Amino acid sequence: MARPEQVLLLEPQHELRFRGPFTDVVTTTLKLANPTDRNVCFKVKTTAPRRYCVRPNSGVIDAGTSINVSVMLQPFDYDPNEKSKHKFMVQSLLAPPDMTDTEGVWKDAKPEDLMDSKLRCVFDMPAENEKTHEMESNKISSLSKSESSTLSMKSMASSMDDGEVKKIMEECKRLQTEVQRLREENKQIREDDGLRKRKSTVMSAPHSSLVMRVKEEGLSSRVIALIVLFFVVGVIVGKLAL
């Protein structure tokens, strides 16, 4: 007896595509829609259970609703010469109105009650020629930009006549001469400033020695005057005593 037609609507309908590189987990989405007025039990199975992680892999889809199933391909070494033989199957059955145990429903189901849809797996690996074409396109784009800027500079130069070029060259020379003159003036100012500092140091040295000499002479005169005064006082006191 032929099995009934699948009541669930699958998107995609016939194949699951996984795009590389496959050095990390690659996920694709399978949408299951229930257009009927009854709840539908489903299971998602694969011929390579160790290579895929399916969430959720079973459950119940309420009437008039849908669910997204994530199919995650685990990392592996991709061989372009090896064709994928992996397949998925979506199995479903109409849930009884008084269902309480989903697993029990699956165990008690008759073969003629089961509906299934099969999908094949397709691996899409970015071709090397696509990468090469992209790199060449970028290179051509950068070269065209460089050439356009070069042409614009050349057009600007060609639009200027010889008189304008000569004026610009003369202005550059004048600015260079002005810069050199300012450098010489700055150097001369520094030299004059150093000379003034040295002269002030030399002039201040004799003045300080002269002050010290005057101080010393004044101190000696006071000492002599005191000695003479004491001598005179001593002579007067001696005469009075006699």
Side-chain angles (χ1 to χ4, degrees), residues 122-141:
V122 179
F123 298 152
D124 292 333
M125 189 69 177
E128 292 297 330
N129 56 0
E130 291 181 4
K131 296 180 181 178
T132 305
H133 178 70
E134 184 177 356
M135 292 175 63
E136 289 180 352
S137 299
N138 294 335
K139 188 183 295 185
I140 291 172
S141 176

Side-chain angles (χ1 to χ4, degrees), residues 43-241:
K43 282 186 177 181
V44 181
K45 300 179 179 180
T46 178
T47 57
R50 295 184 178 180
R51 300 285 293 273
Y52 299 89
C53 181
V54 183
R55 293 290 183 273
N57 58 1
S58 64
V60 179
I61 305 176
D62 295 335
T65 62
S66 62
I67 189 172
N68 289 328
V69 177
S70 297
V71 183
M72 292 164 278
L73 173 63
Q74 303 305 302
F76 72 102
D77 294 330
Y78 175 73
D79 186 0
N81 298 321
E82 181 182 354
K83 294 185 179 180
S84 173
K85 298 179 181 179
H86 302 167
K87 291 181 175 62
F88 275 81
M89 181 175 68
V90 178
Q91 203 170 40
S92 63
L93 62 86
L94 294 173
D98 56 348
M99 181 186 68
T100 57
D101 182 13
T102 307
E103 291 300 325
V105 172
W106 284 105
K107 289 180 181 179
D108 298 337
K110 298 177 181 180
E112 59 268 19
D113 295 333
L114 300 177
M115 299 167 282
D116 60 60
S117 300
K118 294 180 181 179
L119 302 93
R120 67 188 186 95
C121 296
V122 179
F123 298 152
D124 292 333
M125 189 69 177
E128 292 297 330
N129 56 0
E130 291 181 4
K131 296 180 181 178
T132 305
H133 178 70
E134 184 177 356
M135 292 175 63
E136 289 180 352
S137 299
N138 294 335
K139 188 183 295 185
I140 291 172
S141 176
S142 61
L143 286 174
S144 62
K145 290 180 180 179
S146 177
E147 289 177 357
S148 62
S149 61
T150 304
L151 289 173
S152 62
M153 292 295 292
K154 288 182 178 179
S155 62
M156 288 175 63
S158 60
S159 62
M160 294 165 46
D161 57 14
D162 294 340
E164 292 178 350
V165 173
K166 187 176 180 180
K167 289 180 181 179
I168 293 174
M169 295 298 293
E170 291 177 353
E171 183 67 18
C172 289
K173 289 182 180 180
R174 188 187 67 77
L175 292 175
Q176 290 177 354
T177 304
E178 184 69 17
V179 169
Q180 185 65 27
R181 184 182 64 79
L182 292 174
R183 287 178 179 175
E184 293 293 335
E185 289 182 358
N186 188 26
K187 183 179 178 181
Q188 186 65 35
I189 290 171
R190 290 181 179 178
E191 291 179 354
D192 294 343
D193 187 38
L195 183 61
R196 282 196 300 270
K197 288 182 178 179
R198 287 195 296 271
K199 286 182 178 180
S200 62
T201 303
V202 172
M203 291 177 67
S204 62
H207 177 70
S208 59
S209 61
L210 179 61
V211 170
M212 291 296 295
R213 191 180 300 114
V214 170
K215 288 182 178 179
E216 291 176 356
E217 290 178 354
L219 183 60
S220 301
S221 301
R222 290 179 182 178
V223 172
I224 294 171
L226 287 173
I227 292 172
V228 172
L229 179 60
F230 289 149
F231 178 76
V232 172
V233 171
V235 171
I236 295 171
V237 172
K239 287 183 178 181
L240 292 174

